[in-house]
Amino acid sequence: MAKRRSAFIYFIKNWAIFLLPLLITTGFLYFMLFWTMYVSFSDWRGTAPNYKFVGLKWYRLMFSMDRFWTDFKNNIKWLLIGVLPTLFAALLIAYLLELSGSKKWEAYVRTLILYPSAMSFVVTGTIWSWMYQPDRGVINTIFDIMGLHMLRGRFITNPETATYWLILIFIWQFLGLAVIIFQSSFRSSELQSIIESALVDGASRMRILFQIIVPNIRGGILILASLLLISALKVFDIVYIVTFGGPGYSTDVLAFFMFIATFQQHLVSLGAGLSMIIFLMAFVIVVPYTIYAFRRWFA
Amino acid sequence: MRRFLVLLLIGLIMANVWAARELIIFHWWTAGGEREAADAMFEALHEKYPDIKIVENPVAGGGGVSHRVVLQSRLAAGIPPDTWQTLGGAELKSYVDGGYLEPLDELYKELNYWDVIPKPLANAVTIGGHPYSVPLNMHIQNILYYNKKLFEELGLKPPKSFDELISVLKAIKKAKPNMYPLALGTKEKWEAAFVLDSIILEVGGPEYYVKLYKGLIDVKKDPVFREALEKLKELIPYMYPYHASLTWDESCGLLVSGDSAMVIMGTWAIGYFQTRGWNPGVEFGATTFPQVPERILLFHPDTYGLAKNAPHPDACLDWLKVVASPELQIPTDVTQGGLFARLDIDPKNFPDPIRQELQEYVRKHPDKLILDQHGSIAPMSFTQAYWDAIAAFLVESNIEKTINNVATLFTIYNVKEEAAWYQWP
Amino acid sequence: MIKNRRIQWIFFTVVLILSVIYLLPIYVMLVTSLKTPYEITQRLYLIPSLKPQFSNYVQAFKRIYPSLINSIIIASTVTGLATFFGGLGGYYLSRSRTRFSKVLFILVGITLYLPYQAVLIPLVQIAAKTGMALTHWGMIFSYSILNIPLASVLMGTFFFSIPRELEEAAEADGASKPQIFFRIVSPLSLPGYASTAILIFTQVWNEFLLALCLSTPETTTVQVKLAEIKGSFVALYNIQMAAALIGVIVPLLLFLLLGRYFIRGILAGALKG
């Protein structure tokens, strides 16, 4: 009895202050999550709340819509093409900066690729839509100036490729952050000493990168990949600003459809259902990832 | 102690009196010519009721896209403003159905507003027999703007029918092969539906138009809708091909920059052209399109209502009285680009001949007005998806797919039931 | 510089490509910000204005100044709250060995994937019912709720890389966990705090939709104001770009300040172990 009590007191004295904020915040979020889940099973389709239970009505509707499946495919594209190339490019650039050895160039490149993170998609999206405009846009104009007329593209006005050009904006925006995270991961002194000895042994740069560095910065890769995956899955601002889902709805994503359904069509239950789908997709990705991270942390 | 209580009481009374004369108003007239219009509205209010303090929440975003987001959140959370801008028609109905607006029968009777505005306009703000908001203007959707100097140069007359439009487009293309004769910007999706509407009006006539958006037509079997889509397809080669990346104002900008010669847009484009240095009747001309079989004007109004549980209902009612008055409508509408809601205002108040003529026409034929895409007949849930379908049609040109899509949309969003409230004529 | 010629080549090519794709948009922004409305219509993005309108910046500043203050207030408060509570939470997640903490870690991780649009309506409702909606606190509350889990996970990962010997020794001496945390672990974790702070600050600063719903004219943030400047009627891109450039100064300053400290901190902290 006394033992349990003192364990409790121990807990309060030591852990309560750490646990409480986390519990409260997480509690709130889950409360809101369940609220959304409930709404997705209700019939809220006007401006006034409607909590009548209708089961899977809206989900069935959703799955029958062509638009939903386009969105789903688009979101998958965002996940794969948004995350992997960013990781890869950032890794190479960070490594090159390490190899360069010049503080000056490092600072220059870092500032260069970092500034977009200081800007919101409202701004960068607007500028990139000007870059992509087929008739007078920046990219095509430059091709014209250089005489490379055949390289002119339709970019985001071509429904087949539009999404890829949007993803490029995403990569462009996040590259700076990714490089910084990688660079700071490189700086651990144990890693530095391993690299030193490998260099002495005459290993090539590429080998050092992939066989020594990468395995040792798994923590950094983990954080970065998580951030990128989260942002890619939730993507909304870029689509809203640059294409508004168009042409047609070829660049539509689930989060954007959710926005239109909830706030323009006033079909709040449909929007809630879409949110749940986004969340479920995240869950499918999170679970294996969390298990991996888990082992890493608590192994 | 007693003195303190007395002061407290006075303070509370004063606070209440103060609070009673505030007006919390949501709108989306934030920039360009619209900011000045909003200022004009508030000035008119100040003239009449100088003691009302205006607390506005302007939310940027064309046609109220973002505005609706904020409004919906606030309404659902139970903190409504006193009044907000709404477009009449199905949008208004969604607020009425939600129980967020007070009926304004008394007000209308007091102001005799029924008799002053055209019947279709009154119908657009009347749901279930009660008016729920006060319109302050009318925007006409189906206006064809054209480059006047170019038309004079090529000896062209503004087209009144689809066939005339095609021949004009052909003539322009021949004379100026680098031009895209018809400007278009479908980024916000609704622009595509504008063009189709004009075609539908001609091919099917006004009664058909109303029936269509009331969900009474089976588009899969109906020849008129199919024909309209086919005609729309004929226009595609003359359209600006990269319309998916342009907003409506940028599409009007194509005329100014000389890339295009014509655009189908609403009356709000007049203000846009003027800020770009183009004047009505000088650089550009405008005509309603089509004018066969009849000259119909597709319109939507900007209106304001009274929220249920509004924090300051008296101030709001005073505001609505001002909204209905010529003192507000004249400066506001002239600046913002719409027509006057009141028929008893002299059209000569407009500085440009285009709107003078339109207002005269409305005065003489108030019944030739039908609700358009923005303040729509069909419910918002349908209309949004419909815009996407037509915008997609312009890209894919697949008539079968579009017809099937639209037919499905009519069913899913229960248009027949939801649009039954609308009466025309 | 670089000893290997080939790598030098690759390096400079990469720098060149990066320079083009990152400097071009800035150039376009600058050029656009000085144009007249008529020139905007021409859409000649690369051609500088023939009549540069420096007054655009004056106008832009006047319009964006109040929202800059608001954004600074909101973003700083949220960053402070989130990094502080995130640090606390992260410490728990990384040091507690109970099954409960492991489960909690998963639950917290899951919330990171929740699209914030989904909780928009309930957030506004909560903010409204508690009277916070029409003040800065509505946004501060909402952003904090959304960011504390992220901060916890970030700080937790960072704490994981700090070896436990120091803490174990202190605990053997009889110190309580809070004491260990505030006196020993936190000072060592400033790089972690710095990077978390940067991330959260920029996220909050750049957020648009939630701010749109929860702001009033007095509490508008920079992003909402930027969208407003563009307007619905006539797109004033010139003023908007000028305002955007002004608005970018705050996060950039933060980057420059904390960034340097952050790297130095990393090197110092990395010497251990």
Side-chain angles (χ1 to χ4, degrees):
Chain A
M1 195 56 210
K3 197 159 170 216
R4 218 191 276 173
R5 209 150 151 265
S6 75
F8 184 65
I9 296 186
Y10 173 80
F11 177 77
I12 294 288
K13 261 177 58 181
N14 280 284
W15 288 119
I17 186 178
F18 299 102
L19 190 51
L20 225 48
L22 198 57
L23 272 182
I24 297 179
T25 323
T26 316
F28 253 121
L29 283 171
Y30 274 95
F31 170 67
M32 295 193 289
L33 177 64
F34 286 127
W35 183 92
T36 305
M37 193 176 347
Y38 185 71
V39 171
S40 75
F41 293 126
S42 321
D43 206 21
W44 184 340
R45 53 190 166 83
T47 46
N50 179 338
Y51 295 112
K52 189 176 103 184
F53 186 75
V54 288
L56 294 174
K57 167 180 173 185
W58 293 104
Y59 288 98
R60 260 179 273 142
L61 177 67
M62 203 193 297
F63 293 138
S64 71
M65 292 173 110
D66 189 41
R67 179 175 187 164
F68 173 76
W69 294 107
T70 310
D71 292 1
F72 186 76
K73 275 185 260 168
N74 280 343
N75 274 101
I76 301 279
K77 283 185 202 165
W78 273 89
L79 285 174
L80 292 174
I81 306 181
V83 177
L84 293 172
T86 314
L87 286 174
F88 201 64
L91 187 64
L92 288 177
I93 295 178
Y95 191 50
L96 271 175
L97 286 178
E98 287 298 294
L99 294 179
S100 78
S102 156
K103 289 285 176 181
K104 232 181 30 181
W105 281 110
E106 230 193 276
Y108 167 67
V109 174
R110 238 217 309 270
T111 322
L112 183 69
I113 59 180
L114 201 52
Y115 83 78
S117 312
M119 294 189 190
S120 71
F121 286 117
V122 173
V123 178
T124 57
T126 310
I127 301 181
W128 274 94
S129 56
W130 297 341
M131 303 276 281
Y132 284 144
Q133 265 177 18
D135 55 349
R136 297 242 190 93
V138 179
I139 298 182
N140 278 347
T141 311
I142 292 184
F143 285 148
D144 280 346
I145 295 178
M146 301 203 302
L148 299 167
H149 301 289
M150 61 289 198
L151 286 182
R152 301 197 75 182
R154 287 167 59 198
F155 303 115
I156 51 175
T157 59
N158 180 351
E160 323 241 322
T161 63
T163 300
Y164 301 119
W165 295 110
L166 288 185
I167 300 180
L168 192 63
I169 304 178
F170 178 86
I171 299 178
W172 177 87
Q173 185 114 352
F174 278 99
L175 202 56
L177 209 60
V179 168
I180 291 230
I181 294 185
F182 274 139
Q183 274 207 300
S184 58
S185 308
F186 288 167
R187 297 291 167 88
S188 99
S189 59
E190 342 179 302
L191 187 56
Q192 293 295 330
S193 50
I194 300 181
I195 297 180
E196 286 290 322
S197 39
L199 276 175
V200 164
D201 284 345
S204 82
R205 303 273 175 190
M206 273 293 127
R207 251 171 129 230
I208 294 183
L209 176 62
F210 289 110
Q211 294 189 337
I212 298 179
I213 296 186
V214 169
N216 277 297
I217 53 169
R218 272 192 301 222
I221 299 185
L222 182 69
I223 300 184
L224 186 55
S226 312
L227 281 175
L228 290 173
L229 280 171
I230 296 174
S231 308
L233 193 59
K234 293 202 257 182
V235 71
F236 169 77
D237 300 37
I238 298 186
V239 177
Y240 178 81
I241 296 287
V242 184
T243 60
F244 216 69
Y249 42 83
S250 53
T251 57
D252 199 24
V253 287
L254 290 171
F256 188 77
F257 188 10
M258 183 263 176
F259 171 77
I260 295 284
T262 311
F263 296 110
Q264 307 303 323
Q265 294 182 292
H266 299 305
L267 298 171
V268 184
S269 285
L270 178 60
L274 286 164
S275 304
M276 294 309 296
I277 298 288
I278 298 178
F279 185 70
L280 273 168
M281 279 178 79
F283 201 73
V284 167
I285 304 171
V286 170
V287 165
Y289 219 67
T290 322
I291 295 182
Y292 169 73
F294 209 52
R295 295 217 184 104
R296 177 107 170 81
W297 277 32
F298 297 105
Chain B
M1 185 60 182
R2 211 207 228 166
R3 196 142 51 125
F4 169 72
L5 280 176
V6 171
L7 281 175
L8 184 63
L9 196 59
I10 297 179
L12 280 173
I13 295 177
M14 280 185 63
N16 260 326
V17 170
W18 255 51
R21 299 310 279 171
E22 243 185 29
L23 179 73
I24 305 180
I25 171 172
F26 274 33
H27 64 90
W28 62 79
W29 286 355
T30 60
E34 290 177 337
R35 178 70 247 174
E36 286 81 351
D39 293 333
M41 289 198 306
F42 299 139
E43 221 185 281
L45 180 61
H46 265 141
E47 295 277 314
K48 202 89 184 284
Y49 299 103
D51 60 318
I52 297 186
K53 175 167 172 258
I54 297 170
V55 179
E56 53 165 342
N57 188 349
V59 183
V65 170
S66 308
H67 167 267
R68 275 191 272 282
V69 178
V70 186
L71 192 57
Q72 177 140 343
S73 329
R74 295 285 185 98
L75 291 177
I79 37 169
D82 289 306
T83 181
W84 63 83
Q85 185 178 2
T86 169
L87 297 178
E91 198 202 310
L92 178 65
K93 180 164 186 290
S94 62
Y95 295 123
V96 172
D97 287 345
Y100 291 121
L101 287 172
E102 296 276 5
L104 300 172
D105 301 72
E106 297 288 316
L107 185 69
Y108 267 60
K109 246 186 251 157
E110 191 188 315
L111 298 174
N112 211 8
Y113 211 42
W114 291 109
D115 296 334
V116 183
I117 56 179
K119 186 146 168 296
L121 178 58
N123 281 347
V125 297
T126 305
I127 316 278
H130 302 280
Y132 282 93
S133 69
V134 181
L136 60 89
N137 66 10
M138 288 186 286
H139 273 295
I140 310 297
Q141 166 185 308
N142 55 327
I143 303 208
L144 182 69
Y145 296 92
Y146 57 93
N147 184 332
K148 193 138 193 259
K149 301 225 165 92
L150 181 68
F151 268 51
E152 280 165 11
E153 185 191 316
L154 298 177
L156 296 169
K157 280 226 253 296
K160 293 200 162 64
S161 72
F162 182 79
D163 292 326
E164 284 180 23
L165 177 64
I166 289 277
S167 53
V168 167
L169 290 172
K170 282 202 181 116
I172 297 179
K173 192 76 192 178
K174 202 154 158 229
K176 309 261 179 193
N178 283 331
M179 238 191 198
Y180 306 106
L182 188 60
L184 185 63
T186 57
K187 192 157 173 197
E188 291 145 329
K189 310 298 178 65
W190 46 263
E191 296 93 338
F194 271 32
V195 183
L196 186 62
D197 267 3
S198 285
I199 301 180
I200 292 179
L201 261 188
E202 180 177 336
V203 175
E207 283 89 8
Y208 176 85
Y209 181 89
V210 174
K211 271 218 199 108
L212 176 68
Y213 289 115
K214 285 184 74 162
L216 300 172
I217 307 271
D218 181 357
V219 287
K220 280 205 224 179
K221 304 207 184 92
D222 177 69
V224 176
F225 192 71
R226 179 177 291 268
E227 192 190 329
L229 283 179
E230 279 162 10
K231 286 199 148 75
L232 183 59
K233 198 166 169 180
E234 282 180 55
L235 288 179
I236 295 181
Y238 302 100
M239 286 177 176
Y240 179 73
Y242 312 118
H243 47 80
S245 65
L246 291 189
T247 54
W248 73 264
D249 49 284
E250 285 167 335
S251 71
C252 293
L254 289 176
L255 269 78
V256 178
S257 62
D259 292 300
S260 289
M262 296 193 277
V263 69
I264 296 179
M265 192 43 63
T267 37
W268 51 87
I270 297 179
Y272 171 83
F273 283 122
Q274 286 175 316
T275 64
R276 291 293 188 257
W278 266 32
N279 291 302
V282 181
E283 280 88 5
F284 74 94
T287 172
T288 60
F289 180 81
Q291 302 202 7
V292 298
E294 306 172 45
R295 190 182 175 195
I296 296 281
L297 270 48
L298 296 172
F299 83 101
H300 73 264
D302 286 304
T303 73
Y304 284 93
L306 169 63
K308 243 196 191 112
N309 300 323
H312 316 94
D314 304 300
C316 191
L317 279 172
D318 287 336
W319 157 246
L320 293 180
K321 291 190 194 129
V322 177
V323 169
S325 72
E327 286 80 23
L328 178 139
Q329 290 189 14
I330 297 181
T332 311
D333 297 341
V334 170
T335 321
Q336 207 254 339
L339 295 181
F340 304 126
R342 294 180 71 108
L343 291 177
D344 57 356
I345 303 182
D346 187 355
K348 295 285 193 300
N349 277 299
F350 284 121
D352 60 272
I354 298 174
R355 280 186 289 167
Q356 280 175 14
E357 195 274 324
L358 284 172
Q359 188 82 35
E360 273 294 343
Y361 181 76
V362 170
R363 262 181 150 188
K364 291 209 190 85
H365 308 277
D367 53 313
K368 299 274 188 237
L369 289 163
I370 304 183
L371 215 41
D372 69 2
Q373 287 296 326
H374 275 303
S376 56
I377 300 174
M380 297 293 297
S381 50
F382 167 83
T383 313
Q384 285 282 334
Y386 177 70
W387 293 347
D388 284 329
I390 305 300
F393 173 74
L394 284 183
V395 174
E396 296 167 17
S397 308
N398 187 332
I399 295 191
E400 284 314 317
K401 187 168 174 208
T402 308
I403 291 186
N404 280 329
N405 255 348
V406 175
T408 321
L409 292 176
F410 274 118
T411 333
I412 302 182
Y413 295 119
N414 214 357
V415 178
K416 224 188 277 185
E417 208 186 286
E418 302 274 346
W421 66 274
Y422 185 68
Q423 304 301 327
W424 191 84
Chain C
M1 261 250 321
I2 310 178
K3 305 123 208 171
N4 188 331
R5 264 343 274 283
R6 218 174 100 220
I7 297 193
Q8 198 171 15
W9 250 96
I10 301 179
F11 180 72
F12 279 113
T13 318
V14 168
V15 172
L16 185 63
I17 298 177
L18 287 178
S19 300
V20 170
I21 59 181
Y22 281 91
L23 290 179
L24 205 52
I26 298 221
Y27 173 72
V28 172
M29 272 182 93
L30 278 171
V31 160
T32 307
S33 69
L34 293 171
K35 286 190 172 173
T36 65
Y38 177 74
E39 288 171 329
I40 300 277
T41 325
Q42 299 299 319
R43 292 188 296 126
L44 295 169
Y45 301 107
L46 293 173
I47 315 283
S49 168
L50 295 173
K51 291 193 285 179
Q53 308 279 308
F54 290 102
S55 59
N56 285 351
Y57 278 92
V58 177
Q59 238 193 83
F61 186 75
K62 270 197 267 193
R63 295 177 76 159
I64 207 167
Y65 178 66
S67 63
L68 270 178
I69 308 277
N70 285 328
S71 280
I72 293 178
I73 296 177
I74 295 172
S76 320
T77 316
V78 174
T79 306
L81 289 174
T83 43
F84 180 69
F85 289 119
L88 294 179
Y91 188 66
Y92 176 77
L93 290 178
S94 68
R95 293 295 186 241
S96 169
R97 295 293 197 130
T98 65
R99 171 173 291 170
F100 177 72
S101 73
K102 297 181 186 182
V103 170
L104 188 59
F105 167 61
I106 297 184
L107 288 179
V108 171
I110 291 176
T111 67
L112 296 182
Y113 286 85
L114 192 61
Y116 68 91
Q117 299 95 326
V119 296
L120 184 61
I121 294 192
L123 269 177
V124 176
Q125 294 211 299
I126 296 180
K129 301 247 159 84
T130 52
M132 292 191 290
L134 303 177
T135 68
H136 292 108
W137 286 105
M139 283 181 271
I140 292 178
F141 168 76
S142 304
Y143 287 131
S144 301
I145 296 277
L146 290 174
N147 280 298
I148 288 179
L150 177 65
S152 305
V153 170
L154 287 173
M155 292 307 297
T157 318
F158 186 83
F159 290 139
F160 179 67
S161 68
I162 292 188
R164 297 169 202 242
E165 289 102 36
L166 274 179
E167 299 166 55
E168 281 161 12
E171 197 164 3
D173 281 347
S176 69
K177 289 265 190 271
Q179 285 173 321
I180 297 177
F181 180 76
F182 286 110
R183 302 239 186 98
I184 302 176
V185 180
S186 276
L188 281 179
S189 315
L190 289 172
Y193 279 117
S195 45
T196 306
I198 295 180
L199 276 170
I200 294 191
F201 188 88
T202 38
Q203 271 207 17
V204 176
W205 183 267
N206 289 333
E207 204 278 331
F208 175 66
L209 195 60
L210 203 54
L212 184 67
C213 290
L214 286 170
S215 61
T216 68
E218 290 90 35
T219 63
T220 308
T221 63
V222 173
Q223 308 308 331
V224 178
K225 198 73 195 186
L226 279 178
E228 196 185 302
I229 292 180
K230 181 201 154 205
S232 55
F233 191 60
V234 181
L236 293 170
Y237 289 126
N238 45 355
I239 313 279
Q240 189 194 35
M241 285 300 125
L245 281 169
I246 298 176
V248 136
I249 292 181
V250 173
L252 266 186
L253 271 178
L254 190 75
F255 274 17
L256 291 174
L257 290 172
L258 279 187
R260 248 184 309 150
Y261 176 58
F262 168 51
I263 297 294
R264 239 194 306 141
I266 281 284
L267 290 177
L271 287 177
K272 172 91 192 79

